[in-house]
Amino acid sequence: MRAMVYHGPGQKAWEEVPDPEITDDGDAILRVDTTTICGTDLHILKGDVPAVASGRILGHEAVGVIEEVGDGVRTLRPGDRVLVSCVSACGNCRYCREGRYGQCLSGGGWILGHTINGTQAEYVRVPFADHSVYQAPDGVPDEEILMLADVLPTGYEVGVLNGHVRPGDVVAVVGAGPVGLSAITGAQLVSPSHIVAIDLADARLEAAKGFGADVTVNSSREDPLAVIRGLTTGLGADVTIEAVGVPATFELAVKLARPGGRIANVGVHGEAATLHLEDQWTRDITITTGLVDTYSTPTLMRLVVSRQIDARKFITHNFGLDDFPEAYDVFARAADTGALKVVLSR
Ligand code: NAD
Ligand code: ZN
């Protein structure tokens, strides 16, 4: 089969590799019909995620059809059309029992396209298949279901729920990529008074307006702190959601929060960011971090099916699987191309 293989920082290739095989009786083999690229894949290519070894097939999002299941798989059959979640879960360990699947102690968590071969391929082996895939509902196209593999639960769980967004809040979202836009989407479910999107790319801010941001700030031209203070009688945001993953945006997210406010970090960080405790120790702030657990996937799937969440808005580009190199280029140059999620289909 062909797959997108990581060959060390800055290097990747769409190339011929061996087909995956069942190696554990909880595994399933999926024929990938639709997959996509995540901001995290760009971090991997920058060298920010050293656990990814050279030779690894990238990707942690897919919708496809089960081809084969191991003897221990109980709930899936060949022919089932399923969503593969970015997080795999054994379902039995202490953390899985708490719904904290991202921290699975038995070899689950974010493993696809990270510590094992991923979904940017014609076929993928999915471990712990019973607990790691979701039956795709009829009547909703694969590419919309695909948005539930990572971005929608990430923005909602790690941004909105960890940040405890409440009705009437002023919410600042730093970074209006697909994850930031998911946080904007999720925040609207609880009726904040203002959602402020902050980014350096006008194309992304334009998208943020379409997703429901009330105010947009291009932080290369405007001071986000002044804008937020203007909206909050000088106090700061009730909740800030960091959805970029560089030191400057974490530090900005902390600065934008009001005393007593909450800062939800979502971005994947490859280097140290400074927490200015000398400024913050009196301000009663709460900072949360998190790897998405995907416990909200069934809830969000119902909202996608009912169109309370319009997953179509994320999809800006469609490619064939053989167009992977071009799709990466378009996604990496989002400021120029306007790309949000690029979808690759068989
Ligand atoms: P993306 O790269 O598409 O979007 C990032 C956005 O940040 C871009 O629009 C970019 O213009 C903007 N940006 C860059 N530097 C900025 C700055 N200094 N100030 C303001 N904006 C700036 O990425 P994405 O797919 O939206 O993902 C966002 C982050 O979430 C990434 O770090 C990704 O790795 C992370 N992520 C985390 C989890 C998790 O479980 N915690 C899961 C998925 C993704
Ligand atoms: Zn587990």
Side-chain angles (χ1 to χ4, degrees):
M1 69 163 185
R2 292 178 83 75
M4 195 72 214
V5 182
Y6 173 71
H7 289 292
Q11 294 185 56
K12 59 180 175 358
W14 175 246
E15 64 189 28
E16 199 63 33
V17 297
D19 284 352
E21 288 173 4
I22 290 195
T23 56
D24 183 274
D25 67 1
D27 291 350
I29 302 293
L30 181 94
R31 182 191 80 203
V32 175
D33 288 335
T34 316
T35 183
T36 180
I37 305 169
C38 178
T40 304
D41 298 318
L42 301 183
H43 278 290
I44 293 171
L45 283 162
K46 263 170 69 187
D48 281 352
V49 190
V52 182
S54 180
R56 179 71 61 237
I57 298 173
L58 295 168
H60 48 264
E61 300 157 277
V63 175
V65 172
I66 301 282
E67 289 266 312
E68 194 186 342
V69 294
D71 292 341
V73 174
R74 296 189 178 166
T75 58
L76 299 164
R77 289 200 173 74
D80 285 355
R81 177 174 160 257
V82 298
L83 164 73
V84 175
S85 170
C86 63
V87 164
S88 307
C90 82
N92 289 315
C93 72
R94 172 183 167 178
Y95 284 126
C96 284
R97 289 292 184 99
E98 292 179 2
R100 217 177 261 279
Y101 308 114
Q103 307 295 332
C104 175
L105 291 167
S106 306
W110 171 40
I111 54 174
L112 288 169
H114 182 202
T115 55
I116 67 168
N117 284 334
T119 57
Q120 293 175 4
E122 291 177 309
Y123 296 89
V124 60
R125 178 180 74 90
V126 182
F128 308 116
D130 279 322
H131 299 287
S132 308
V133 309
Y134 299 84
Q135 298 282 349
D138 290 338
V140 184
D142 286 358
E143 59 180 27
E144 293 180 42
I145 297 300
L146 183 64
M147 300 301 117
L148 291 157
D150 181 345
V151 285
L152 279 169
T154 296
Y156 184 59
E157 294 174 15
V158 191
V160 177
L161 297 181
N162 279 3
H164 291 288
V165 176
R166 290 187 283 227
D169 277 355
V170 171
V171 181
V173 179
V174 185
V179 169
L181 297 171
S182 297
I184 292 172
T185 302
Q188 283 168 307
L189 297 170
V190 283
S191 298
S193 69
H194 292 86
I195 299 175
V196 183
I198 300 157
D199 204 291
L200 300 171
D202 288 326
R204 289 278 166 97
L205 292 170
E206 211 42 56
K209 279 187 205 154
F211 276 74
D214 303 288
V215 179
T216 58
V217 182
N218 186 317
S219 50
S220 69
R221 299 193 294 266
E222 240 182 312
D223 176 12
L225 188 59
V227 174
I228 300 274
R229 286 191 171 154
L231 282 172
T232 56
T233 59
L235 285 179
D238 298 289
V239 180
T240 61
I241 296 173
E242 196 281 354
V244 184
V246 296
T249 48
F250 172 74
E251 290 165 31
L252 176 64
V254 173
K255 226 187 266 179
L256 293 178
R258 67 167 168 82
R262 302 173 294 282
I263 300 116
N265 181 80
V266 187
V268 171
H269 290 266
E271 45 183 309
T274 305
L275 172 62
H276 287 283
L277 214 45
E278 71 281 15
D279 300 325
Q280 297 297 331
W281 72 272
T282 54
R283 298 181 78 248
D284 295 11
I285 56 166
T286 303
I287 298 175
T288 60
T289 68
L291 173 68
V292 64
D293 290 306
T294 68
Y295 61 80
S296 69
T297 301
T299 305
L300 295 169
M301 193 178 284
R302 288 196 297 278
L303 293 168
V304 167
V305 171
S306 70
R307 284 273 154 81
Q308 258 164 293
I309 290 177
D310 186 352
R312 293 171 298 188
K313 289 201 285 193
F314 288 96
I315 302 158
T316 54
H317 294 75
N318 285 276
F319 295 96
L321 289 181
D322 283 328
D323 303 326
F324 246 114
E326 190 192 345
Y328 259 94
D329 178 59
V330 166
F331 183 66
R333 293 188 301 106
D336 301 327
T337 62
L340 297 177
K341 286 303 267 185
V342 301
V343 168
L344 297 103
S345 305
R346 198 174 258 275

